[in-house]
Amino acid sequence: GEIFLFIKENKKIRIKKNSFHKSRINVLLFENSLLYSASYDKKINVWDNEHDKLLRIFDENFGKIVDIDKKKNSLLVSTDEGCVKFWDIRFKKSIDEVNTGFNLKSAKFLCDGNFFAAGGSSSFLYLWDFRKIEKKNPFLKIFVGNNSEINSFCVSKFDSFIFYLDIFGNLYKWCKKKGDLKINSNIGVKNCKDSKKISRFKLKNDCFDKYLSIFNGRGDNYIFYQSNGKIIKKIENNLTVTEDVTFNPNKKILCSAGEKGNILFQSY
């Protein structure tokens, strides 16, 4: 649960070390200059990246956290048991929760703020409507892919579309407004060299809908343009296992969390 900050100054490397978690970090989220980190210690920490300061800790015995997302003052926290909790960050308390009924891999807010998308080990995504959570059937079940299991997905910050990666390395784009589905043949794990064990790859996007990151547990990370699928850079972070990555919204820096709790900040 240690954060190592590698800073290049005058061709020398200065290392800062912070212990913010008691276990390894497995989820990262950048919001402005704040870095949210979730760990196997069942806590979420908020770190001021610019001033190297721990600001607050969310601790509610979450269970194993698999994803976090933020929309305005709401923080979405999902666990592998299928529970999604919502926090109001102004009051530092949970305001609602949803039991999806299946094991989760990820859950994300959609850009309009009325829905969140959730997915597990299946070929379906589920859209939950906040306005109908109290009803018996509050979600819309979406079949995606050719019966292929969804490995990872991310959601646009400005439009109603979802990118998702299946276990065979195909990248798809689904639009909520039109309900259509198309495969992005120019982007995908199959375009990445050394793309063995495709099912281990995960997907992340930046907050401006410009870049996509496809990475795996071995430390290989490919950054693409969303528009044309061109690979900008391959980053090798030398981590034993890469748990998660996130884009810095203010600088061209990618943050990666490793198996031992390391967080690396690398330019691209």
Side-chain angles (χ1 to χ4, degrees), residues 98 115 127-130 132-140:
V98 173
F115 292 84
L127 295 185
W128 295 74
D129 190 336
F130 289 108
K132 300 179 181 179
I133 282 180
E134 300 300 327
K135 297 183 178 181
K136 291 183 178 180
N137 297 306
F139 59 85
L140 172 66

Side-chain angles (χ1 to χ4, degrees), residues 22 27 51-52 54 75 84 166-167 175 213 225 256-257:
K22 295 180 180 179
V27 182
H51 300 94
D52 190 24
L54 179 63
L75 187 68
V84 180
D166 70 12
I167 59 173
C175 182
S213 169
Y225 284 117
S256 305

Side-chain angles (χ1 to χ4, degrees), residues 16-64:
K16 288 185 178 181
K17 179 179 177 181
N18 296 289
S19 298
F20 291 159
H21 289 281
K22 295 180 180 179
S23 185
R24 70 185 188 184
I25 299 165
N26 63 312
V27 182
L28 293 175
L29 172 68
F30 241 126
E31 175 75 13
N32 296 322
S33 63
L34 302 182
L35 179 63
Y36 292 74
S37 62
S39 169
Y40 283 36
D41 63 10
K42 303 178 182 180
K43 296 179 181 180
I44 298 173
N45 292 343
V46 185
W47 178 46
D48 185 338
N49 181 51
E50 296 295 329
H51 300 94
D52 190 24
K53 182 180 180 182
L54 179 63
L55 298 180
R56 66 193 311 181
I57 299 174
F58 294 91
D59 183 7
E60 199 182 87
N61 193 24
F62 288 108
K64 181 183 176 182

Side-chain angles (χ1 to χ4, degrees), residues 3-16:
I3 294 181
F4 293 85
L5 177 58
F6 293 80
I7 305 172
K8 190 172 183 180
E9 294 181 341
N10 300 323
K11 297 183 180 182
K12 294 182 179 181
I13 299 295
R14 179 165 58 91
I15 301 176
K16 288 185 178 181

Side-chain angles (χ1 to χ4, degrees), residues 102-103 105 118-127 140-153 164-168 172 174 181:
F102 56 89
N103 293 336
K105 283 187 176 180
S121 300
S122 72
S123 55
F124 291 92
L125 280 177
Y126 297 81
L127 295 185
L140 172 66
K141 188 177 181 180
I142 307 167
F143 173 73
V144 291
N146 299 317
N147 290 313
S148 56
E149 181 180 323
I150 298 171
N151 197 47
S152 182
F153 75 91
Y164 75 90
L165 190 70
D166 70 12
I167 59 173
F168 302 109
Y172 295 84
W174 183 84
L181 174 69

Side-chain angles (χ1 to χ4, degrees), residues 171-225:
L171 183 66
Y172 295 84
K173 183 179 179 181
W174 183 84
C175 182
K176 175 178 174 291
K177 292 180 180 178
K178 299 179 180 178
D180 60 356
L181 174 69
K182 63 180 180 180
I183 187 170
N184 286 52
S185 57
N186 292 329
I187 312 176
V189 177
K190 293 177 182 178
N191 291 347
C192 304
K193 296 180 180 179
D194 305 320
S195 58
K196 298 178 181 179
K197 297 183 179 180
I198 287 176
S199 63
R200 295 185 61 185
F201 275 82
K202 296 181 181 179
L203 185 67
K204 272 291 183 76
N205 60 332
D206 72 320
C207 63
F208 301 111
D209 286 345
K210 186 175 182 179
Y211 304 112
L212 280 173
S213 169
I214 296 180
F215 63 99
N216 66 5
R218 298 178 300 163
D220 300 322
N221 198 320
Y222 299 84
I223 299 178
F224 298 82
Y225 284 117

